[in-house]
Amino acid sequence: MGRKDASTSRTPVDQYRKQIGKQDYKKTRPMLRATRLKAEAKKTALGVKEVTLVLAAILVFLLAFYAFFYLNVSNEVDLDLDPDEN
């Protein structure tokens, strides 16, 4: 049979966890809920980097679209002009 004192002695890790648990218990429920919601919002929020990359991709697409039509129109205008007609 084991000693009664052996079960009550805790490792430093267990004591630390118990201390943290007591401190966390002192917080009110709205504070805990707000902390949890803030952490979740931080995980799911779009960063500046992602928004910048999306805007840059859209800008490149629009510039390529514009350049494609600009070059097609400018080539057609050059083909329609015949210097021999005058």
Side-chain angles (χ1 to χ4, degrees):
M1 289 199 195
R3 298 168 87 192
K4 193 173 187 179
D5 294 335
S7 65
T8 59
S9 66
R10 294 191 177 113
T11 62
V13 174
D14 290 334
Q15 290 175 352
Y16 177 74
R17 288 180 181 161
K18 185 175 181 179
Q19 182 183 8
I20 294 296
K22 285 180 182 178
Q23 290 175 357
D24 202 34
Y25 185 72
K26 291 178 185 177
K27 295 179 182 177
T28 62
R29 282 185 184 245
M31 286 177 64
L32 292 173
R33 186 177 300 130
T35 305
R36 186 179 72 241
L37 290 175
K38 186 177 178 182
E40 288 176 5
K42 195 173 188 180
K43 286 181 185 177
T44 60
L46 288 177
V48 175
K49 186 177 180 180
E50 289 86 7
V51 172
T52 305
L53 287 174
V54 169
L55 290 177
I58 292 171
L59 181 65
V60 167
F61 176 74
L62 289 176
L63 286 174
F65 189 73
Y66 177 77
F68 174 75
F69 282 109
Y70 177 76
L71 292 174
N72 280 342
V73 170
S74 65
N75 288 340
E76 289 177 9
V77 170
D78 290 342
L79 293 175
D80 289 342
L81 296 177
D82 288 334
D84 296 337
E85 287 183 7
N86 291 335

Coordinates of all heavy atoms in Angstrom, one line a residue:
M1 N 0.8 -1.2 0.0 CA 0.0 0.0 0.0 C 0.9 1.2 0.0 O 1.9 1.3 0.7 CB -0.9 0.0 1.2 CG -1.9 -1.0 1.2 SD -3.1 -0.5 2.4 CE -4.0 -2.0 2.5
G2 N 0.4 2.2 -0.7 CA 1.2 3.5 -0.8 C 0.9 4.4 0.3 O -0.1 4.3 1.1
R3 N 1.8 5.3 0.5 CA 1.6 6.3 1.6 C 0.6 7.3 1.1 O 0.5 7.6 0.0 CB 3.0 6.9 1.8 CG 4.0 5.9 2.3 CD 5.4 6.6 2.3 NE 5.7 7.2 3.5 CZ 6.7 8.1 3.7 NH1 7.5 8.3 2.7 NH2 6.9 8.6 4.9
K4 N 0.0 7.9 2.1 CA -1.0 8.9 1.8 C -0.4 10.2 1.3 O -0.9 10.9 0.5 CB -1.8 9.2 3.1 CG -3.1 10.0 2.9 CD -3.9 10.0 4.1 CE -5.2 10.7 3.8 NZ -6.1 10.7 5.0
D5 N 0.8 10.5 1.8 CA 1.5 11.7 1.4 C 2.0 11.7 0.0 O 2.2 12.7 -0.7 CB 2.7 12.0 2.4 CG 2.3 12.3 3.8 OD1 1.1 12.7 3.9 OD2 3.0 12.0 4.7
A6 N 2.3 10.5 -0.5 CA 2.8 10.3 -1.9 C 1.8 10.8 -2.9 O 2.2 11.4 -3.9 CB 3.2 8.9 -2.2
S7 N 0.5 10.7 -2.7 CA -0.5 11.1 -3.7 C -0.7 12.6 -3.7 O -1.2 13.2 -4.6 CB -1.8 10.3 -3.4 OG -2.3 10.7 -2.2
T8 N -0.4 13.2 -2.5 CA -0.7 14.6 -2.4 C 0.5 15.4 -3.0 O 0.3 16.6 -3.3 CB -0.9 15.1 -1.0 OG1 0.2 14.7 -0.2 CG2 -2.2 14.4 -0.5
S9 N 1.7 14.9 -3.1 CA 2.8 15.6 -3.6 C 2.7 15.7 -5.1 O 2.4 14.8 -5.8 CB 4.1 14.9 -3.2 OG 4.2 13.7 -3.9
R10 N 2.8 17.0 -5.6 CA 2.6 17.2 -7.0 C 3.9 17.6 -7.6 O 4.8 18.2 -7.0 CB 1.6 18.4 -7.2 CG 0.2 18.0 -6.7 CD -0.8 19.1 -7.1 NE -2.1 18.7 -6.7 CZ -2.8 19.3 -5.8 NH1 -2.3 20.4 -5.2 NH2 -4.0 18.9 -5.5
T11 N 3.9 17.4 -8.9 CA 5.1 17.8 -9.7 C 5.0 19.3 -9.9 O 3.9 19.9 -9.8 CB 5.2 17.1 -11.0 OG1 4.0 17.4 -11.8 CG2 5.3 15.6 -10.8
P12 N 6.1 20.0 -10.2 CA 6.0 21.4 -10.4 C 5.1 21.8 -11.6 O 4.5 22.8 -11.5 CB 7.5 21.8 -10.7 CG 8.3 20.8 -10.1 CD 7.5 19.5 -10.1
V13 N 5.0 20.9 -12.6 CA 4.2 21.2 -13.7 C 2.7 21.2 -13.3 O 1.9 22.1 -13.6 CB 4.4 20.2 -14.8 CG1 3.4 20.4 -15.9 CG2 5.8 20.3 -15.3
D14 N 2.3 20.3 -12.4 CA 0.9 20.2 -12.0 C 0.6 21.4 -11.1 O -0.5 22.0 -11.2 CB 0.7 18.9 -11.2 CG 0.7 17.7 -12.1 OD1 0.3 17.9 -13.3 OD2 1.0 16.6 -11.6
Q15 N 1.6 21.8 -10.3 CA 1.3 23.0 -9.4 C 1.2 24.2 -10.3 O 0.3 25.1 -10.0 CB 2.5 23.2 -8.5 CG 2.6 22.1 -7.4 CD 3.8 22.3 -6.5 OE1 4.7 23.1 -6.8 NE2 3.9 21.5 -5.4
Y16 N 2.0 24.3 -11.3 CA 1.9 25.5 -12.2 C 0.5 25.5 -13.0 O -0.1 26.6 -13.1 CB 3.0 25.4 -13.3 CG 3.0 26.5 -14.3 CD1 3.3 27.8 -14.0 CD2 2.6 26.3 -15.6 CE1 3.3 28.8 -14.9 CE2 2.6 27.3 -16.6 CZ 2.9 28.6 -16.2 OH 2.9 29.6 -17.1
R17 N 0.1 24.3 -13.4 CA -1.2 24.3 -14.1 C -2.3 24.6 -13.2 O -3.3 25.3 -13.5 CB -1.4 22.8 -14.6 CG -0.6 22.5 -15.8 CD -0.8 21.1 -16.3 NE 0.0 20.8 -17.4 CZ 0.3 19.6 -17.9 NH1 -0.2 18.6 -17.2 NH2 1.1 19.4 -18.9
K18 N -2.3 24.2 -11.9 CA -3.3 24.5 -10.9 C -3.3 26.0 -10.7 O -4.4 26.6 -10.6 CB -3.1 23.8 -9.6 CG -4.2 24.0 -8.6 CD -3.9 23.1 -7.4 CE -5.1 23.4 -6.4 NZ -4.9 22.5 -5.2
Q19 N -2.1 26.6 -10.6 CA -2.0 28.1 -10.4 C -2.6 28.9 -11.5 O -3.4 29.8 -11.3 CB -0.6 28.5 -10.2 CG -0.4 29.9 -9.9 CD 1.1 30.3 -9.8 OE1 2.0 29.5 -10.1 NE2 1.4 31.5 -9.4
I20 N -2.3 28.4 -12.8 CA -2.9 29.1 -14.0 C -4.4 28.9 -14.0 O -5.1 29.8 -14.3 CB -2.2 28.5 -15.2 CG1 -0.8 28.8 -15.3 CG2 -2.9 29.0 -16.5 CD1 -0.5 30.3 -15.4
G21 N -4.9 27.7 -13.6 CA -6.3 27.5 -13.6 C -7.0 28.4 -12.6 O -8.1 28.9 -12.9
K22 N -6.4 28.6 -11.5 CA -7.0 29.5 -10.5 C -7.1 30.9 -11.0 O -8.1 31.6 -10.8 CB -6.2 29.5 -9.2 CG -6.4 28.2 -8.3 CD -5.6 28.3 -7.1 CE -5.7 27.0 -6.2 NZ -4.9 27.1 -5.0
Q23 N -6.0 31.4 -11.7 CA -6.0 32.7 -12.2 C -7.0 32.9 -13.3 O -7.7 33.9 -13.4 CB -4.6 33.1 -12.8 CG -3.6 33.2 -11.7 CD -2.2 33.4 -12.3 OE1 -2.0 33.4 -13.5 NE2 -1.2 33.6 -11.4
D24 N -7.2 31.9 -14.1 CA -8.1 31.9 -15.2 C -9.6 31.9 -14.7 O -10.5 32.5 -15.2 CB -7.9 30.7 -16.2 CG -8.5 31.0 -17.6 OD1 -8.4 32.2 -18.0 OD2 -8.9 30.0 -18.2
Y25 N -9.8 31.2 -13.6 CA -11.1 31.1 -13.0 C -11.5 32.4 -12.4 O -12.7 32.7 -12.4 CB -11.1 30.0 -11.9 CG -12.5 29.8 -11.3 CD1 -13.4 29.1 -12.0 CD2 -12.8 30.2 -10.0 CE1 -14.7 28.9 -11.5 CE2 -14.0 30.0 -9.5 CZ -15.0 29.3 -10.2 OH -16.2 29.1 -9.7
K26 N -10.6 33.3 -12.0 CA -10.9 34.6 -11.5 C -11.5 35.5 -12.5 O -12.2 36.5 -12.2 CB -9.7 35.2 -10.9 CG -9.2 34.5 -9.6 CD -7.9 35.2 -9.1 CE -7.4 34.4 -7.9 NZ -6.1 35.0 -7.5
K27 N -11.3 35.2 -13.8 CA -11.8 36.1 -14.8 C -13.3 35.8 -15.0 O -13.8 34.7 -14.7 CB -11.2 35.8 -16.2 CG -9.7 36.2 -16.2 CD -9.1 35.8 -17.6 CE -7.6 36.1 -17.6 NZ -7.0 35.7 -18.8
T28 N -14.1 36.8 -15.4 CA -15.5 36.6 -15.5 C -15.8 36.0 -16.9 O -14.9 36.0 -17.8 CB -16.2 38.0 -15.4 OG1 -15.7 38.8 -16.5 CG2 -16.0 38.6 -14.1
R29 N -17.0 35.5 -17.0 CA -17.3 34.8 -18.3 C -17.3 35.8 -19.5 O -16.8 35.4 -20.6 CB -18.7 34.2 -18.2 CG -18.7 32.9 -17.4 CD -20.1 32.3 -17.5 NE -20.1 31.1 -16.7 CZ -20.3 29.9 -17.2 NH1 -20.6 29.8 -18.5 NH2 -20.3 28.8 -16.5
P30 N -17.8 37.0 -19.4 CA -17.7 37.9 -20.5 C -16.2 38.2 -20.9 O -16.0 38.3 -22.1 CB -18.4 39.2 -20.1 CG -19.3 38.7 -19.0 CD -18.6 37.6 -18.3
M31 N -15.3 38.3 -20.0 CA -13.9 38.5 -20.3 C -13.4 37.3 -21.1 O -12.7 37.5 -22.1 CB -13.1 38.8 -19.1 CG -13.3 40.1 -18.5 SD -12.4 40.4 -16.9 CE -10.7 40.3 -17.5
L32 N -13.7 36.1 -20.6 CA -13.2 34.9 -21.3 C -13.8 34.8 -22.7 O -13.1 34.4 -23.6 CB -13.6 33.6 -20.5 CG -12.8 33.5 -19.1 CD1 -13.4 32.3 -18.3 CD2 -11.4 33.3 -19.3
R33 N -15.1 35.1 -22.8 CA -15.7 35.0 -24.1 C -15.1 36.0 -25.1 O -14.8 35.7 -26.2 CB -17.2 35.3 -24.0 CG -18.0 35.1 -25.3 CD -19.5 35.3 -25.1 NE -20.0 34.3 -24.1 CZ -20.8 34.6 -23.1 NH1 -21.1 35.9 -22.9 NH2 -21.2 33.7 -22.3
A34 N -14.9 37.2 -24.6 CA -14.2 38.3 -25.4 C -12.8 37.9 -25.9 O -12.5 38.1 -27.0 CB -14.2 39.6 -24.7
T35 N -12.1 37.3 -25.0 CA -10.7 36.8 -25.3 C -10.8 35.7 -26.4 O -10.0 35.8 -27.3 CB -10.0 36.3 -24.1 OG1 -10.0 37.3 -23.1 CG2 -8.6 35.9 -24.4
R36 N -11.7 34.8 -26.2 CA -11.8 33.7 -27.2 C -12.3 34.3 -28.6 O -11.7 33.9 -29.6 CB -12.8 32.7 -26.7 CG -12.9 31.5 -27.6 CD -13.9 30.4 -27.1 NE -15.3 30.9 -27.3 CZ -16.2 31.1 -26.3 NH1 -15.8 30.9 -25.0 NH2 -17.4 31.5 -26.6
L37 N -13.2 35.2 -28.6 CA -13.7 35.7 -29.8 C -12.6 36.5 -30.5 O -12.5 36.5 -31.7 CB -14.9 36.6 -29.6 CG -16.2 35.9 -29.2 CD1 -17.3 36.8 -28.9 CD2 -16.7 34.9 -30.3
K38 N -11.8 37.3 -29.7 CA -10.7 38.0 -30.3 C -9.7 37.1 -30.9 O -9.2 37.4 -32.0 CB -10.1 38.9 -29.2 CG -9.1 39.9 -29.7 CD -8.5 40.7 -28.5 CE -7.5 41.7 -29.0 NZ -6.9 42.4 -27.9
A39 N -9.4 36.0 -30.3 CA -8.4 35.1 -30.8 C -9.0 34.4 -32.1 O -8.2 34.3 -33.1 CB -8.1 34.0 -29.8
E40 N -10.2 34.1 -32.2 CA -10.8 33.5 -33.4 C -10.9 34.5 -34.5 O -10.6 34.1 -35.7 CB -12.2 33.0 -33.1 CG -12.2 31.7 -32.2 CD -13.7 31.3 -31.8 OE1 -14.6 31.9 -32.3 OE2 -13.8 30.4 -31.0
A41 N -11.2 35.7 -34.2 CA -11.2 36.8 -35.2 C -9.8 37.0 -35.8 O -9.7 37.3 -37.0 CB -11.8 38.1 -34.7
K42 N -8.8 36.9 -35.0 CA -7.5 37.1 -35.4 C -7.0 36.0 -36.4 O -6.3 36.2 -37.3 CB -6.5 37.2 -34.2 CG -5.2 37.8 -34.5 CD -4.4 37.9 -33.2 CE -3.1 38.7 -33.5 NZ -2.3 38.8 -32.3
K43 N -7.5 34.8 -36.1 CA -7.1 33.7 -36.9 C -7.8 33.7 -38.3 O -7.2 33.4 -39.3 CB -7.5 32.3 -36.3 CG -6.7 31.9 -35.1 CD -7.1 30.6 -34.5 CE -6.4 30.3 -33.3 NZ -6.8 29.0 -32.7
T44 N -9.1 34.2 -38.3 CA -9.8 34.2 -39.6 C -9.7 35.5 -40.4 O -10.2 35.5 -41.5 CB -11.3 33.9 -39.3 OG1 -11.8 34.9 -38.4 CG2 -11.5 32.5 -38.6
A45 N -9.2 36.5 -39.8 CA -9.1 37.8 -40.5 C -8.2 37.8 -41.7 O -7.1 37.1 -41.6 CB -8.7 38.9 -39.5
L46 N -8.5 38.5 -42.7 CA -7.6 38.6 -43.9 C -6.5 39.6 -43.5 O -6.8 40.7 -43.0 CB -8.4 39.2 -45.1 CG -9.4 38.2 -45.8 CD1 -10.1 38.9 -46.9 CD2 -8.6 37.0 -46.3
G47 N -5.4 39.3 -43.9 CA -4.2 40.1 -43.6 C -4.0 41.1 -44.8 O -4.6 41.0 -45.8
V48 N -3.2 42.1 -44.5 CA -2.9 43.1 -45.5 C -2.2 42.5 -46.7 O -2.4 42.9 -47.9 CB -2.0 44.2 -44.9 CG1 -1.6 45.3 -45.9 CG2 -2.8 44.9 -43.8
K49 N -1.4 41.5 -46.4 CA -0.6 40.8 -47.5 C -1.6 40.2 -48.5 O -1.4 40.3 -49.7 CB 0.3 39.8 -46.9 CG 1.2 39.2 -47.9 CD 2.2 38.2 -47.2 CE 3.1 37.6 -48.2 NZ 4.1 36.6 -47.5
E50 N -2.6 39.5 -48.0 CA -3.5 38.8 -48.9 C -4.3 39.7 -49.7 O -4.6 39.5 -50.9 CB -4.5 37.9 -48.1 CG -3.8 36.6 -47.5 CD -3.2 36.9 -46.2 OE1 -3.3 38.0 -45.6 OE2 -2.5 36.0 -45.7
V51 N -4.8 40.8 -49.1 CA -5.6 41.8 -49.8 C -4.7 42.5 -50.9 O -5.2 42.7 -52.0 CB -6.1 42.9 -48.8 CG1 -6.8 44.0 -49.6 CG2 -7.1 42.2 -47.9
T52 N -3.5 42.8 -50.6 CA -2.6 43.4 -51.6 C -2.3 42.5 -52.7 O -2.3 42.9 -53.9 CB -1.2 43.8 -50.9 OG1 -1.5 44.6 -49.7 CG2 -0.3 44.5 -51.8
L53 N -2.1 41.2 -52.5 CA -1.9 40.2 -53.5 C -3.1 40.1 -54.5 O -3.0 40.0 -55.7 CB -1.6 38.9 -53.0 CG -0.2 38.7 -52.4 CD1 0.0 37.4 -51.7 CD2 0.9 38.9 -53.4
V54 N -4.3 40.1 -53.9 CA -5.5 40.0 -54.7 C -5.7 41.3 -55.6 O -6.0 41.2 -56.8 CB -6.8 39.8 -53.8 CG1 -8.1 40.0 -54.6 CG2 -6.7 38.4 -53.2
L55 N -5.5 42.4 -55.0 CA -5.6 43.7 -55.8 C -4.5 43.8 -56.9 O -4.8 44.2 -58.0 CB -5.5 44.9 -54.8 CG -6.6 45.1 -53.9 CD1 -6.4 46.3 -53.0 CD2 -7.9 45.4 -54.7
A56 N -3.3 43.3 -56.6 CA -2.3 43.3 -57.6 C -2.6 42.4 -58.7 O -2.4 42.7 -59.9 CB -0.9 42.9 -57.0
A57 N -3.2 41.2 -58.4 CA -3.6 40.2 -59.5 C -4.7 40.8 -60.3 O -4.7 40.7 -61.6 CB -4.1 38.9 -58.8
I58 N -5.7 41.5 -59.7 CA -6.7 42.1 -60.5 C -6.2 43.2 -61.4 O -6.5 43.4 -62.6 CB -7.8 42.7 -59.6 CG1 -8.6 41.5 -58.9 CG2 -8.8 43.6 -60.3 CD1 -9.5 41.9 -57.8
L59 N -5.2 44.0 -60.9 CA -4.6 45.1 -61.7 C -3.9 44.5 -62.9 O -4.0 45.1 -64.0 CB -3.7 45.9 -60.8 CG -3.0 47.1 -61.5 CD1 -4.1 48.1 -61.9 CD2 -2.0 47.8 -60.5
V60 N -3.1 43.5 -62.6 CA -2.3 42.9 -63.7 C -3.3 42.3 -64.8 O -3.0 42.5 -66.0 CB -1.4 41.8 -63.2 CG1 -0.9 40.9 -64.3 CG2 -0.3 42.4 -62.4
F61 N -4.4 41.7 -64.4 CA -5.3 41.2 -65.3 C -6.0 42.3 -66.2 O -6.1 42.2 -67.4 CB -6.4 40.4 -64.6 CG -7.5 39.9 -65.5 CD1 -7.3 38.8 -66.3 CD2 -8.8 40.5 -65.5 CE1 -8.3 38.4 -67.1 CE2 -9.8 40.1 -66.3 CZ -9.6 39.0 -67.1
L62 N -6.3 43.4 -65.5 CA -6.9 44.5 -66.2 C -5.9 45.1 -67.2 O -6.3 45.5 -68.3 CB -7.5 45.6 -65.3 CG -8.7 45.2 -64.5 CD1 -9.1 46.2 -63.5 CD2 -9.9 44.9 -65.4
L63 N -4.7 45.3 -66.8 CA -3.7 45.8 -67.7 C -3.4 44.9 -68.9 O -3.3 45.4 -70.0 CB -2.4 46.1 -66.9 CG -2.4 47.3 -66.0 CD1 -1.1 47.3 -65.2 CD2 -2.6 48.6 -66.7
A64 N -3.4 43.6 -68.7 CA -3.2 42.7 -69.8 C -4.4 42.8 -70.7 O -4.2 42.7 -72.0 CB -3.0 41.3 -69.2
F65 N -5.6 42.8 -70.2 CA -6.8 43.0 -71.0 C -6.8 44.2 -71.8 O -7.1 44.2 -73.0 CB -8.0 42.9 -70.0 CG -9.4 42.8 -70.7 CD1 -9.8 41.6 -71.3 CD2 -10.2 43.9 -70.7 CE1 -11.0 41.5 -71.9 CE2 -11.4 43.8 -71.3 CZ -11.8 42.6 -71.9
Y66 N -6.4 45.3 -71.2 CA -6.4 46.6 -71.9 C -5.3 46.6 -73.0 O -5.5 47.0 -74.1 CB -6.0 47.7 -70.9 CG -5.9 49.1 -71.5 CD1 -7.0 49.8 -72.0 CD2 -4.6 49.6 -71.7 CE1 -6.8 51.1 -72.6 CE2 -4.4 50.9 -72.3 CZ -5.5 51.6 -72.7 OH -5.3 52.8 -73.3
A67 N -4.1 46.0 -72.7 CA -3.0 46.0 -73.7 C -3.4 45.1 -74.9 O -3.1 45.4 -76.0 CB -1.8 45.4 -73.0
F68 N -4.1 44.0 -74.6 CA -4.5 43.1 -75.7 C -5.4 43.9 -76.7 O -5.2 43.8 -77.9 CB -5.2 41.9 -75.1 CG -5.8 41.0 -76.2 CD1 -5.0 40.2 -76.9 CD2 -7.2 41.0 -76.4 CE1 -5.6 39.3 -77.9 CE2 -7.8 40.2 -77.3 CZ -7.0 39.3 -78.1
F69 N -6.4 44.6 -76.2 CA -7.3 45.3 -77.1 C -6.7 46.5 -77.7 O -7.0 46.8 -78.8 CB -8.6 45.7 -76.3 CG -9.6 44.5 -76.2 CD1 -9.8 43.9 -75.0 CD2 -10.2 44.0 -77.3 CE1 -10.6 42.8 -74.8 CE2 -11.1 42.9 -77.2 CZ -11.3 42.3 -75.9
Y70 N -5.8 47.2 -77.0 CA -5.1 48.3 -77.5 C -4.2 47.9 -78.7 O -4.2 48.5 -79.8 CB -4.2 49.0 -76.5 CG -3.4 50.1 -77.0 CD1 -4.0 51.4 -77.2 CD2 -2.1 50.0 -77.2 CE1 -3.3 52.4 -77.7 CE2 -1.3 51.0 -77.7 CZ -1.9 52.3 -78.0 OH -1.2 53.3 -78.4
L71 N -3.5 46.8 -78.6 CA -2.7 46.3 -79.7 C -3.5 45.8 -80.8 O -3.2 46.0 -82.0 CB -1.8 45.2 -79.2 CG -0.7 45.6 -78.2 CD1 0.1 44.4 -77.7 CD2 0.3 46.6 -78.9
N72 N -4.7 45.2 -80.6 CA -5.5 44.7 -81.7 C -6.1 45.9 -82.5 O -6.1 45.9 -83.7 CB -6.6 43.9 -81.2 CG -6.2 42.4 -81.0 OD1 -5.1 42.0 -81.5 ND2 -6.9 41.7 -80.2
V73 N -6.6 46.9 -81.8 CA -7.2 48.1 -82.4 C -6.1 48.9 -83.2 O -6.3 49.3 -84.3 CB -7.9 49.0 -81.4 CG1 -8.3 50.3 -82.0 CG2 -9.1 48.3 -80.9
S74 N -4.9 49.0 -82.6 CA -3.9 49.8 -83.3 C -3.4 49.1 -84.5 O -3.1 49.7 -85.5 CB -2.7 50.1 -82.3 OG -2.1 48.9 -82.0
N75 N -3.3 47.8 -84.5 CA -2.9 47.0 -85.7 C -4.0 47.1 -86.8 O -3.7 47.2 -88.0 CB -2.7 45.5 -85.4 CG -1.4 45.4 -84.6 OD1 -0.5 46.2 -84.6 ND2 -1.3 44.2 -83.9
E76 N -5.3 47.1 -86.5 CA -6.3 47.2 -87.5 C -6.3 48.5 -88.1 O -6.6 48.7 -89.3 CB -7.7 46.9 -86.8 CG -7.9 45.4 -86.4 CD -9.2 45.2 -85.7 OE1 -10.0 46.1 -85.7 OE2 -9.4 44.1 -85.2
V77 N -6.1 49.6 -87.4 CA -6.1 50.9 -87.9 C -4.9 51.1 -88.9 O -5.0 51.6 -90.0 CB -5.9 52.0 -86.8 CG1 -5.7 53.4 -87.4 CG2 -7.2 52.0 -86.0
D78 N -3.8 50.5 -88.6 CA -2.6 50.6 -89.5 C -2.9 49.8 -90.8 O -2.4 50.2 -91.9 CB -1.4 50.0 -88.8 CG -0.9 50.9 -87.7 OD1 -1.3 52.1 -87.7 OD2 -0.1 50.4 -86.8
L79 N -3.6 48.7 -90.7 CA -3.9 47.9 -91.9 C -4.9 48.6 -92.8 O -4.9 48.4 -94.0 CB -4.4 46.5 -91.5 CG -3.4 45.6 -90.8 CD1 -4.0 44.3 -90.4 CD2 -2.2 45.3 -91.7
D80 N -5.8 49.3 -92.3 CA -6.8 50.0 -93.1 C -6.3 51.1 -93.9 O -6.9 51.5 -94.9 CB -8.0 50.5 -92.1 CG -8.8 49.3 -91.6 OD1 -8.7 48.2 -92.2 OD2 -9.5 49.5 -90.6
L81 N -5.2 51.8 -93.5 CA -4.7 52.9 -94.2 C -3.8 52.4 -95.3 O -2.8 51.7 -95.1 CB -3.9 53.8 -93.2 CG -4.6 54.5 -92.1 CD1 -3.7 55.2 -91.2 CD2 -5.7 55.4 -92.7
D82 N -4.2 52.8 -96.5 CA -3.4 52.5 -97.7 C -2.8 53.8 -98.2 O -3.6 54.7 -98.6 CB -4.2 51.8 -98.8 CG -4.5 50.4 -98.4 OD1 -3.7 49.8 -97.6 OD2 -5.5 49.9 -98.9
P83 N -1.5 54.0 -98.3 CA -0.9 55.2 -98.9 C -1.2 55.4 -100.3 O -1.2 56.5 -100.9 CB 0.6 55.1 -98.6 CG 0.8 53.6 -98.3 CD -0.5 53.0 -97.9
D84 N -1.6 54.3 -101.1 CA -1.8 54.5 -102.5 C -3.2 55.0 -102.8 O -3.4 55.5 -104.0 CB -1.7 53.1 -103.1 CG -0.3 52.5 -103.0 OD1 0.7 53.3 -102.9 OD2 -0.1 51.3 -103.1
E85 N -4.1 55.1 -101.9 CA -5.4 55.6 -102.1 C -5.4 57.1 -102.4 O -6.3 57.6 -103.1 CB -6.4 55.3 -101.0 CG -6.7 53.8 -100.9 CD -7.7 53.5 -99.7 OE1 -8.2 54.5 -99.1 OE2 -7.9 52.3 -99.5
N86 N -4.6 57.8 -101.9 CA -4.6 59.3 -102.1 C -4.0 59.6 -103.4 O -3.5 59.9 -104.2 CB -3.8 60.0 -101.0 CG -4.6 59.9 -99.6 OD1 -5.8 59.7 -99.7 ND2 -3.9 59.9 -98.6

